[in-house]
Amino acid sequence: GEDVEQSLFLSVREGDSSVINCTYTDSSSTYLYWYKQEPGAGLQLLTYIFSNMDMKQDQRLTVLLNKKDKHLSLRIADTQTGDSAIYFCAETRPGTYKYIFGTGTRLKVLA
Amino acid sequence: SQTIHQWPATLVQPVGSPLSLECTVEGTSNPNLYWYRQAAGRGLQLLFYSVGIGQISSEVPQNLSASRPQDRQFILSSKKLLLSDSGFYLCAWSVRYNEQFFGPGTRLTVL
């Protein structure tokens, strides 16, 4: 199927690390993305990883890719209240301009 | 720099009325353009995408249609709205297989 799966909710305490997980379906996916959506707004690209990489780090964000298990994760270090949002993973597949988005994970950061 | 505009920002329409949502992109040429719908508490559903003027691909059969009269203009329309058309409509653009950039969205409520 075409479903990209994510858990719906995650709650963490301020200062802790957050790990948001995503399982995608197509092993031929080329790029995998993480987007952030704040309430009532569009999606903002956070980071992306090319399919031949295992890990990418960008300041507080760490993306891990396990191609064998088709598993993508986003780790946010030192989570802040401003990180509260919905996080979407997405994949692109060769030969198509379509982006397949996950269902989104709502992250709530408790002060 | 590139920017993407959507209007209106919010819209309340009665069932059976027509719809026209507009999306324009500035600062890039020949972008791929996308319309998504996000129902309350749910993920993104790809409705239409376009790789060029007059070229529209429909992903989900429904009472909506899309048109691309100019290179950087993408319009979402309906002749008769249904209650189920309520949601948050997002326009996005990309160049080739690179990341998508999203507009601010239009919140549509059909009563």
Side-chain angles (χ1 to χ4, degrees):
Chain A
E2 279 206 347
D3 291 344
V4 176
E5 297 184 350
Q6 299 178 238
S7 52
L8 291 179
F9 298 101
L10 177 65
S11 180
V12 300
R13 294 205 174 275
E14 191 174 19
D16 289 350
S17 292
S18 308
V19 179
I20 302 170
N21 294 304
C22 171
T23 302
Y24 60 99
T25 59
D26 194 331
S27 58
S28 65
S29 293
T30 50
Y31 286 94
L32 295 130
Y33 302 88
W34 282 105
Y35 284 85
K36 176 183 180 182
Q37 184 183 33
E38 297 187 359
L43 276 67
Q44 174 192 6
L45 178 68
L46 284 179
T47 187
Y48 66 93
I49 189 168
F50 190 53
S51 58
N52 68 351
M53 298 169 65
D54 297 325
M55 185 184 83
K56 181 179 180 180
Q57 187 157 1
D58 183 2
Q59 299 182 338
R60 292 191 298 123
L61 305 178
T62 302
V63 179
L64 295 177
L65 176 60
N66 181 331
K67 287 193 70 175
K68 175 177 172 293
D69 295 334
K70 300 191 194 70
H71 186 261
L72 181 73
S73 67
L74 174 69
R75 179 177 180 269
I76 306 173
D78 187 25
T79 312
Q80 303 297 307
T81 54
D83 294 324
S84 292
I86 301 175
Y87 291 81
F88 291 93
C89 63
E91 58 174 336
T92 56
R93 297 169 182 173
T96 174
Y97 292 108
K98 289 169 54 176
Y99 294 69
I100 310 300
F101 281 84
T103 49
T105 298
R106 185 179 296 273
L107 173 65
K108 183 174 182 179
V109 182
L110 306 173
Chain B
S1 64
Q2 301 91 356
T3 56
I4 178 169
H5 304 279
Q6 285 186 247
W7 65 86
T10 60
L11 190 60
V12 180
Q13 292 284 96
V15 169
S17 64
L19 173 75
S20 181
L21 302 182
E22 190 162 344
C23 171
T24 58
V25 181
E26 296 177 0
T28 187
S29 295
N30 196 28
N32 298 329
L33 296 172
Y34 305 80
W35 276 113
Y36 291 89
R37 177 170 59 205
Q38 185 179 24
R42 301 184 64 179
L44 293 174
Q45 179 186 33
L46 177 63
L47 301 176
F48 301 94
Y49 68 97
S50 170
V51 300
I53 296 174
Q55 300 178 59
I56 309 293
S57 296
S58 175
E59 287 298 302
V60 183
Q62 57 204 323
N63 68 319
L64 298 172
S65 62
S67 62
R68 185 170 178 173
Q70 300 180 45
D71 181 44
R72 289 170 286 180
Q73 185 184 30
F74 206 22
I75 297 172
L76 183 70
S77 304
S78 174
K79 292 182 180 178
K80 288 185 177 182
L81 283 169
L82 306 173
L83 286 174
S84 58
D85 291 325
S86 292
F88 192 49
Y89 288 82
L90 289 160
C91 180
W93 70 272
S94 71
V95 176
R96 292 180 178 263
Y97 300 108
N98 294 328
E99 66 267 22
Q100 290 189 324
F101 298 93
F102 284 80
T106 295
R107 183 159 303 282
L108 172 66
T109 304
V110 182
L111 301 176

